Amino acid sequence: RHGPHLASHRRARTHVCLLVRAMAGKRGGGEGDPSEAAIKKARLEEGASEAEGSVPVIDIAPFFAEGATEGAREALAAEVKRACQEVGFFVVVGHGIDGGLPQACADAGYAFFGRPEEEKAKVAANGSAYGFFPLASEALGYDADVRNRPDLREAFSMGPQDALPPEGSPDRPGGPREVLEFCYQQTPWPEDEEGGASLREAMQRYYREAGGLADRLLRILARALRVDAEDFLSKTRGHASSLRVVHYPALIAEPLPGQLRCGAHSDICTMTLLWQDVHGGLEVLPRGRTRWLEVQCPPGGLIVNLGDLFARWTNDRWLSTPHRVACPPAAFRSQRISMPYFQILRSDAEVKCLESCLEPGENPKYAPTTQGEDLRGHFKRWGRNRE
């Protein structure tokens, strides 16, 4: 009874193999690239827009500067609040992360993805949350179809690196065992190549720095919502955050109808911090818009988008905005890497509507839940993991 599905999956994988140029360490294109004008025309017809609106760029350094006035902090929090209400995305500069850290992580990623498939397969996720995800093995999105329209990417994901405290410890998160085991899975790391960059070392270093920045951003967001920052920060101790290194190989043929590098979705976390080495392809669909908006990011900037937890906390006053990765003209010339850091709270952290986000007589739109239960539920409903 599985025959037709497996056959369609093989056809899709065969198309992907023909579609993607074997990169083996190269970063360039080749001859026969489709016309950029024709590709852009097709993308615009599908709804991508370069002119309609923009994602704001915000310098957050003044908020944390020594001697910063309350007025300066209030003004910056108001700017961030406006972005959260209107777009759900913003770009941060002045964030304090050395640009060499994510670049080193990307370089280690290129080296890893250039290895033979059989080597990468040794650390495959195989149904778990962390490890290697082969090319065309995932389909993310509201209309995900991994058999017929797999995403044109491969990835390596890591999760929490600190071991869970022993049972009975006051620092151990509570909740069902299956939720704990899901949120704090181990990451299967590849062996380092002699003389090569260590993917594990590079990812762990950037993971720590990105986590620190996410906590700093929570302080700004807490001020914008008129809540005590500690209410948020207490939920990130013993967090279950994840970092992905996502590789988009160069394309040599048109994708299948409706096929993207990453399908349209929102994120199931508090926020995502995104670094990318070659800009182009990320699009968002803010509330009330009918056309997708391209995200432009200046050198050194990091793209921030709110996840579903902020929509729950704010009763949809703040946006967890749908976004996708399309196939821009550059996709036919070069590969690229992007690295999303997903800030995920400790598994037993309660998530419910904030009192400051309810008008008199207004009811919460979402039932209270915990980070772990919400995360595991989404994982089991989406894409390759759908039950």
Side-chain angles (χ1 to χ4, degrees):
R1 65 187 172 92
H2 297 297
H5 298 292
L6 291 174
S8 65
H9 183 48
R10 290 190 191 101
R11 285 195 295 272
R13 288 299 299 270
T14 300
H15 179 88
V16 170
C17 289
L18 293 173
L19 190 65
V20 178
R21 176 183 291 112
M23 295 306 294
K26 300 178 183 177
R27 298 201 191 185
E31 296 179 357
D33 289 344
S35 159
E36 287 198 18
I39 297 167
K40 179 155 291 192
K41 179 176 182 293
R43 289 185 63 236
L44 292 174
E45 288 174 350
E46 291 176 358
S49 171
E50 293 182 317
E52 185 181 339
S54 62
V55 173
V57 178
I58 302 174
D59 183 356
I60 63 171
F63 189 92
F64 302 101
E66 185 177 353
T69 66
E70 286 302 297
R73 291 194 173 110
E74 281 294 318
L76 198 144
E79 189 177 0
V80 169
K81 180 179 181 179
R82 195 158 47 247
C84 294
Q85 291 173 328
E86 296 176 358
V87 188
F89 271 73
F90 54 98
V91 175
V92 293
V93 295
H95 47 69
I97 292 183
D98 183 342
L101 280 180
Q103 186 60 62
C105 198
D107 291 343
Y110 278 118
F112 171 75
F113 293 118
R115 294 186 188 185
E117 292 300 315
E118 58 270 21
E119 282 191 33
K120 294 184 288 186
K122 294 177 182 178
V123 291
N126 291 329
S128 69
Y130 307 123
F132 171 61
F133 296 82
L135 180 67
S137 66
E138 299 182 283
L140 190 60
Y142 306 114
D143 60 347
D145 185 351
V146 71
R147 290 186 176 91
N148 297 303
R149 265 193 337 272
D151 289 344
L152 300 174
R153 58 179 176 149
E154 58 184 337
F156 187 92
S157 295
M158 66 169 284
Q161 295 301 287
D162 295 330
L164 270 175
E167 291 190 25
S169 168
D171 294 328
R172 183 181 176 89
R177 176 178 292 275
E178 62 269 19
V179 172
L180 272 176
E181 291 176 349
F182 171 79
C183 291
Y184 298 95
Q185 299 173 48
Q186 291 188 341
T187 301
W189 292 103
E191 293 183 6
D192 294 339
E193 292 184 319
E194 186 175 351
S198 168
L199 183 67
R200 179 174 188 167
E201 180 181 342
M203 288 187 72
Q204 287 179 337
R205 288 183 64 198
Y206 184 56
Y207 181 91
R208 289 191 294 269
E209 290 297 314
L213 173 58
D215 279 357
R216 294 195 295 277
L217 287 169
L218 280 181
R219 293 187 178 277
I220 300 175
L221 298 171
R223 178 175 285 247
L225 288 169
R226 297 292 184 261
V227 299
D228 186 345
E230 187 58 29
D231 292 345
F232 285 154
L233 295 173
S234 64
K235 300 177 188 294
T236 69
R237 298 183 186 113
H239 64 83
S241 299
S242 173
L243 173 65
R244 293 199 107 194
V245 179
V246 184
H247 179 226
Y248 301 99
L251 310 180
I252 58 172
E254 288 291 337
L256 294 165
Q259 190 175 34
L260 300 169
R261 279 180 153 180
C262 183
H265 64 284
S266 60
D267 292 344
I268 48 177
C269 54
T270 64
M271 73 181 84
T272 302
L273 311 181
L274 179 70
W275 180 94
Q276 48 189 3
D277 68 339
V278 178
H279 303 310
L282 178 62
E283 298 173 348
V284 303
L285 187 64
R287 181 188 293 165
R289 300 288 183 92
T290 58
R291 297 176 70 82
W292 291 85
L293 172 67
E294 293 191 51
V295 178
Q296 304 294 328
C297 183
L302 290 172
I303 300 168
V304 180
N305 67 276
L306 299 185
D308 292 351
L309 295 196
F310 265 105
R312 284 178 171 271
W313 274 327
T314 64
N315 224 28
D316 282 341
R317 283 164 171 73
W318 287 10
L319 307 179
S320 180
T321 302
H323 49 285
R324 67 186 187 182
V325 182
C327 298
F332 294 84
R333 297 193 307 271
S334 61
Q335 64 178 331
R336 68 187 284 261
I337 273 183
S338 69
M339 297 186 304
Y341 172 88
F342 304 101
Q343 188 191 47
I344 299 171
L345 309 174
R346 58 183 284 141
S347 62
D348 61 353
E350 186 181 38
V351 181
K352 64 179 182 179
C353 185
L354 298 169
E355 292 295 328
S356 63
C357 293
L358 285 176
E359 297 291 340
E362 183 182 5
N363 294 318
K365 296 180 181 180
Y366 305 98
T369 186
T370 66
Q371 169 72 92
E373 291 168 333
D374 185 63
L375 184 69
R376 184 171 181 269
H378 277 84
F379 189 82
K380 295 299 182 183
R381 289 195 298 271
W382 281 51
R384 68 187 185 282
N385 310 297
R386 185 177 295 147
E387 292 182 336

